[in-house]
């Protein structure tokens, strides 16, 4: 059967269908458990959580499912140079974004406070709670951490946006590699070069990786139905990871307006922008994202820009100025059909099965 892949064996799941782990407080225990209980691999994006919050979340997931699940962290969780973020740079940012703050009638925030990386402290929690799968983005954990995961039976999954990144991940000894195409919603998890230089489509990247590496590949980006899953498997993927279609489900922690936008005509138009977080990410096209094209030098590094934009986002939401907000979403959004995660999982399984049976 189509689902008897290396991913099924490695991950201990029934179907090689993974739910993308959403960062930024968009993941939920309910969504993670629903996907895992339906035979796929649920995922929880934990990069913004404190170690204690990860402990608590993991406890809740274990109470909601006895099936495998994935916890995701960001290896590189900031882009702030050693020299820091200067007053001169902040003044440039303030000048560029002041019209938007004026429009919603709130003052400009103060310069964002320095940021300290959480990753090392978060790692210890992963080793303590031992999820079946530990996935990571924006880099590769140390050889020592990967070895500890192996000893503990934790499957490691890295994300690549280029063939070079995939080769580096394979050489590091990760168990599976995500081919993250530029169609995907959310951040581009590039780590060897600028994200703007890492814009290969999912199915091209998958084929390049298939030729050059032996590590099982998970295709991610531009997949939202069974035909997409079948296409990924046909081209050599061992599993498909689906993000936007699950983000649009009621069980995610996306705001109701966010989910509605993913089902609206606006979802036909997405853009990659640094304007909201400082890192390149894809969402439904917004006025600010368009205005800031060519003005990227005014945008602070991640996550300082997230902090700076937070009050503007809140005010825009309160005032229903939807065109000022970048709602995360991938290019595949216009074909979304399901609002319940269980229904989406069953549809993915049924559609993929029907496709492969039609070939007999």
């Amino acid at each position: 059967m189509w689902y008897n892949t290396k991913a099924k064996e490695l991950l201990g799941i029934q179907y090689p269908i993974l739910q993308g782990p959403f960062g930024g407080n968009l993941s939920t225990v309910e969504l993670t458990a629903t996907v895992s209980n339906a035979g796929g691999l649920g995922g929880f994006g934990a990069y913004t959580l404190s170690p204690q919050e990860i402990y608590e979340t993991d406890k809740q997931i274990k109470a909601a499912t006895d099936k495998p699940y994935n916890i995701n962290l960001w290896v590189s969780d900031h882009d702030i140079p050693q020299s820091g973020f200067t007053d001169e740079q902040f003044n440039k940012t303030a000048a560029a974004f002041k019209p938007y703050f004026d429009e919603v009638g709130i003052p400009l925030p103060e310069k964002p406070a320095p940021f300290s990386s959480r990753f090392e402290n978060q790692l210890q929690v992963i080793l303590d709670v031992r999820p079946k799968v530990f996935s990571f983005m924006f880099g590769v954990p140390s050889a020592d951490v990967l070895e500890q995961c192996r000893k503990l039976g934790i499957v490691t999954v890295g994300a690549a946006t280029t063939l070079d990144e995939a080769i580096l991940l394979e050489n590091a000894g990760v168990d599976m590699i995500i081919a993250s195409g530029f169609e995907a919603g959310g951040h581009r998890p590039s780590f060897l070069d600028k994200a703007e230089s890492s814009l290969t489509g999912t199915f091209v990247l998958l084929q390049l990786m298939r030729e050059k590496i032996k590590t099982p590949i998970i295709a991610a980006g531009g997949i939202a139905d069974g035909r997409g899953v079948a296409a990924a498997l046909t081209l050599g993927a061992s599993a498909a990871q689906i993000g936007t279609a699950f983000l649009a489900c009621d069980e995610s922690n996306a705001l109701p307006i966010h989910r509605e936008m993913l089902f609206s005509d606006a979802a036909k138009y997405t853009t990659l922008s640094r304007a909201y977080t400082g890192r390149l990410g894809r969402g439904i096209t917004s006025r600010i994202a368009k205005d800031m094209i060519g003005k990227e030098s005014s945008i602070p590094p991640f996550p300082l820009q997230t902090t700076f934009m937070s009050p503007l986002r809140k005010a825009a939401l309160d005032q229903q100025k939807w065109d000022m907000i970048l709602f995360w979403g991938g290019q595949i959004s216009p074909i979304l059909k399901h609002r319940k995660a269980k229904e989406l999982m069953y549809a993915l399984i049924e559609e993929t099965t029907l496709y492969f049976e039609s070939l007999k």
Side-chain angles (χ1 to χ4, degrees), residues 250-282:
D250 293 343
E251 293 86 352
S252 88
N253 205 36
L255 292 170
I257 182 59
H258 188 165
R259 296 197 296 267
E260 286 306 315
M261 291 291 281
L262 289 172
F263 285 104
S264 74
D265 282 347
K268 291 188 293 187
Y269 310 103
T270 66
T271 191
L272 287 162
S273 177
R274 290 184 180 269
Y276 291 81
T277 68
R279 279 185 176 172
L280 196 68
R282 183 177 297 283

Side-chain angles (χ1 to χ4, degrees), residues 21 44-49 54 70-76 118-119 121-124 126 134-138:
F44 197 102
Y47 84 90
T48 59
L49 302 185
I54 297 175
N70 164 34
I71 294 181
N72 177 270
L73 294 178
W74 291 14
V75 178
S76 168
R118 308 182 185 94
F119 180 65
N121 291 332
Q122 292 171 325
L123 267 178
Q124 188 54 53
I126 298 296
F134 167 42
S135 69
F136 40 86
M137 301 158 57
F138 295 108

